[in-house]
């Protein structure tokens, strides 16, 4: 899977990975982050379950489905804790806060948006179940990949197929790039009239 560090989320999308619609990086992500999904389903009033998930997510990407409206379930302290505990990234179909802290420590956070208010540490959610994130189902163990363009998910059983496709896409793009550098117009390469 180390090939994932050398491809972009758009390449993976073209190769059949599912896009998590509306989920964007909170900061300018440098490079590509990827890992197995550790899933969380909770309400936007309950940030306790999301914080608890950090303890189980070393080397993984936390993927969160939030039911409800516009309370942040993630912030600066959660980001600091996750970074120190070896979590790869967090992807939240919901809201976050403390953007200045998240950006300062450079922890990869992807979310639907941000808001200053937060709920409470209720710990009423569930972990390790399929979730809906960005309109797409994400199962525990699926491969999640994010960069400055957004986030995609690859079902574990399809990883080989998607990686083969992405290799071919990169080869084709390389040939097109070479032709453009030699002065050939992209319109002509693509056969557009």
């Amino acid at each position: 899977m180390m090939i994932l560090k050398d491809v972009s989320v758009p390449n993976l999308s073209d190769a059949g990975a599912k896009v998590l619609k509306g989920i964007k990086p909170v900061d300018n992500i440098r490079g590509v982050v990827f890992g197995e999904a550790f899933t969380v389903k909770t309400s936007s009033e309950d940030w306790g379950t999301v914080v608890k998930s950090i303890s189980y997510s070393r080397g993984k990407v936390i993927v969160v489905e939030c039911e409800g409206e516009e309370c942040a379930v993630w912030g600066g302290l959660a980001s600091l804790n996750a970074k120190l505990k070896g979590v790869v990234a967090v992807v939240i179909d919901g809201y976050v806060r403390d953007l200045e802290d998240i950006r300062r420590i450079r922890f990869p956070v992807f979310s639907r948006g941000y808001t200053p208010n937060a709920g409470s540490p209720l710990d009423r959610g569930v972990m390790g179940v399929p979730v809906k994130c960005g309109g797409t189902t994400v199962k525990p163990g699926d491969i999640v990949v994010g960069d400055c363009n957004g986030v995609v998910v690859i079902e574990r059983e399809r990883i080989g197929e998607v990686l083969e496709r992405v290799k071919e896409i990169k080869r084709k793009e390389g040939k097109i790039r070479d032709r453009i550098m030699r002065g050939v117009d992209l319109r002509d390469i693509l056969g557009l009239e």
Side-chain angles (χ1 to χ4, degrees), residues 107-129:
F107 180 74
V109 175
F110 300 83
S111 72
R112 180 164 301 287
Y114 47 88
T115 186
N117 60 311
S120 301
L122 303 175
D123 191 19
R124 294 184 186 152
V126 293
M127 298 182 288
V129 298

Side-chain angles (χ1 to χ4, degrees), residues 67-136:
E67 297 171 342
E69 293 296 318
E70 296 194 34
C71 282
V73 296
W74 191 269
L77 294 175
S79 295
L80 178 61
N81 190 50
K83 183 173 184 171
L84 294 175
K85 296 294 183 183
V87 176
V88 173
V90 66
V91 178
I92 301 176
D93 195 343
Y95 295 84
V96 302
R97 69 184 202 168
D98 305 326
L99 301 185
E100 69 285 357
D101 293 335
I102 293 169
R103 290 172 177 155
R104 186 178 67 252
I105 67 169
R106 298 187 188 277
F107 180 74
V109 175
F110 300 83
S111 72
R112 180 164 301 287
Y114 47 88
T115 186
N117 60 311
S120 301
L122 303 175
D123 191 19
R124 294 184 186 152
V126 293
M127 298 182 288
V129 298
V131 297
K132 274 279 198 205
C133 188
T136 297

